[in-house]
Amino acid sequence: MSCRNASHAGSWYTENGSELSRQLDLWLSKADLTHGPARAIIAPHAGYSYCGACAAFAYRQISPVVVKRIFILGPSHHVRLGGCALSSLDKYATPLYDLTIDKQIYAELEATRQFQRMDVTTDEDEHSIEMHLPYIAKVMEEYQTSFTIIPILVGSLTPEKEAKYGSILAPYLADPQNLVVISSDFCHWGSRFRYTWRDNARGNIYQSIEWLDKQGMDLIEKMDPASFTAYLNKYGNTICGRHPIGVLLQAIAKLQSQPSCPKMSMQFLKYAQSSQCMTMQDSSVSYASASLVFE
């Protein structure tokens, strides 16, 4: 069985399994279950010292007893990709235990002819999916033999392609045994990110960034893909998981267009910034956690 190494363990998070387990337990214990059971979550993918506490608010909403398959959609940071790609491996390692890829769902996705395969180097270089694996392993640990994962690397999609992938994934989102994890950080602000938008009327730079992020978060909560795209076009906010978010919003829209669609609600539960920017020399990354519930 071919296995993806936990290539960011030891740098972005601890490679010590028992220490990692304790850390995740602590963060989860400080988050409240307020908007669950989650059918989908949005959570950040930075180093755990920056965003581990924030991510816990999304993971706390999961009900592990019902989950059989976990789709993980992460943006591609290192390779140019016009569509979406699947892993070529069988398992993903974490310091807790290995997670098994769902070969049957992969075959179904491949049959749509809309997915390519990524090579092992691309897979192991990318952190956007990996940073969710320890949290998934932790939340699912009592059911570790009874669930599979479906990692999907998402490229720079046009709105039309977001809609196409949303249509493909909509039936999976509709299944209560499935969970969809959307990997995204929010605003990357500062000259090192080549993004320094600010609105002086909003106060300090960090307050202006928060206002900007909250505009996007409000549109995501409204589950309105066209408005979210228009917002990104207007402000250029550097939300790295904007395409995975776009795919989720399109999948929701697809389900909402059907007559028997259940009521859904999306709610952001936590917002944080890596630091508070006061001057143009500063930089920060924002993090946000959300949960989608089918009522």
Side-chain angles (χ1 to χ4, degrees):
M1 297 284 275
S2 56
C3 188
R4 179 194 182 281
N5 290 313
S7 49
H8 293 73
S11 51
W12 290 52
Y13 58 98
T14 178
E15 61 204 321
N16 178 318
S18 53
E19 190 185 326
L20 180 61
S21 186
R22 274 198 309 275
Q23 233 171 27
L24 296 171
D25 268 332
L26 177 67
W27 286 324
L28 287 164
S29 73
K30 292 182 173 177
D32 291 328
L33 172 55
T34 55
H35 197 68
R39 186 72 57 90
I41 61 170
I42 299 170
H45 56 234
Y48 280 0
S49 60
Y50 294 105
C51 76
C54 178
F57 283 80
Y59 279 96
R60 184 70 181 83
Q61 313 310 314
I62 294 166
S63 174
V65 64
V66 298
V67 175
K68 296 285 178 269
R69 290 166 295 271
I70 301 178
F71 292 73
I72 314 158
L73 278 64
S76 176
H77 286 83
H78 303 293
V79 295
R80 292 193 75 81
L81 196 60
C84 291
L86 308 175
S87 177
S88 16
L89 301 169
D90 302 306
K91 287 178 176 283
Y92 274 18
T94 83
L96 303 178
Y97 56 90
D98 295 350
L99 309 182
T100 303
I101 291 179
D102 195 311
K103 286 291 154 65
Q104 186 196 331
I105 305 279
Y106 259 20
E108 291 169 13
L109 295 177
E110 235 168 0
T112 66
R113 310 183 75 123
Q114 299 300 320
F115 294 83
Q116 58 190 87
R117 292 279 181 163
M118 54 177 145
D119 59 34
V120 178
T121 307
T122 299
D123 208 340
E124 293 188 344
D125 282 352
E126 183 54 63
H127 64 274
S128 71
I129 293 171
E130 179 182 341
M131 296 308 295
H132 289 274
L133 305 177
Y135 255 119
I136 289 168
K138 182 71 207 171
V139 169
M140 298 299 296
E141 90 190 314
E142 287 177 34
Y143 304 90
Q144 59 186 266
T145 55
S146 59
F147 80 98
T148 52
I149 59 167
I150 301 93
I152 301 173
L153 189 64
V154 179
S156 301
L157 308 181
T158 61
E160 294 71 33
K161 279 192 177 170
E162 288 178 1
K164 181 180 279 184
Y165 286 108
S167 291
I168 292 169
L169 293 174
Y172 297 105
L173 179 63
D175 184 338
Q177 293 191 316
N178 294 337
L179 169 73
V180 178
V181 172
I182 300 294
S183 176
S184 184
D185 295 338
F186 274 69
C187 184
H188 297 60
W189 194 93
S191 52
R192 73 191 183 100
F193 299 117
R194 297 192 290 282
Y195 186 75
T196 52
W197 178 92
R198 73 172 296 188
D199 178 353
N200 289 321
R202 304 286 160 198
N204 291 312
I205 294 173
Y206 72 89
Q207 293 166 308
S208 167
I209 295 168
E210 179 166 355
W211 178 86
L212 176 67
D213 280 330
K214 292 278 169 78
Q215 302 306 301
M217 290 156 65
D218 286 348
L219 295 171
I220 295 167
E221 286 187 338
K222 290 190 174 85
M223 301 179 285
D224 184 346
S227 297
F228 184 60
T229 299
Y231 157 85
L232 292 168
N233 291 338
K234 179 177 179 180
Y235 294 105
N237 193 3
T238 42
I239 300 172
C240 55
R242 57 192 175 277
H243 298 301
I245 292 169
V247 171
L248 174 64
L249 294 179
Q250 290 287 358
I252 292 167
K254 177 77 174 175
L255 293 180
Q256 285 178 330
S257 70
Q258 297 164 3
S260 59
C261 178
K263 195 168 177 301
M264 298 177 233
S265 77
M266 174 91 78
Q267 205 178 319
F268 275 91
L269 308 162
K270 188 69 177 170
Y271 176 79
Q273 295 175 351
S274 61
S275 61
Q276 293 196 332
C277 293
M278 300 294 289
T279 74
M280 296 305 279
Q281 283 68 53
D282 295 336
S283 64
S284 74
V285 180
S286 308
Y287 313 113
S289 283
S291 169
L292 173 73
V293 171
F294 279 49
E295 290 167 7

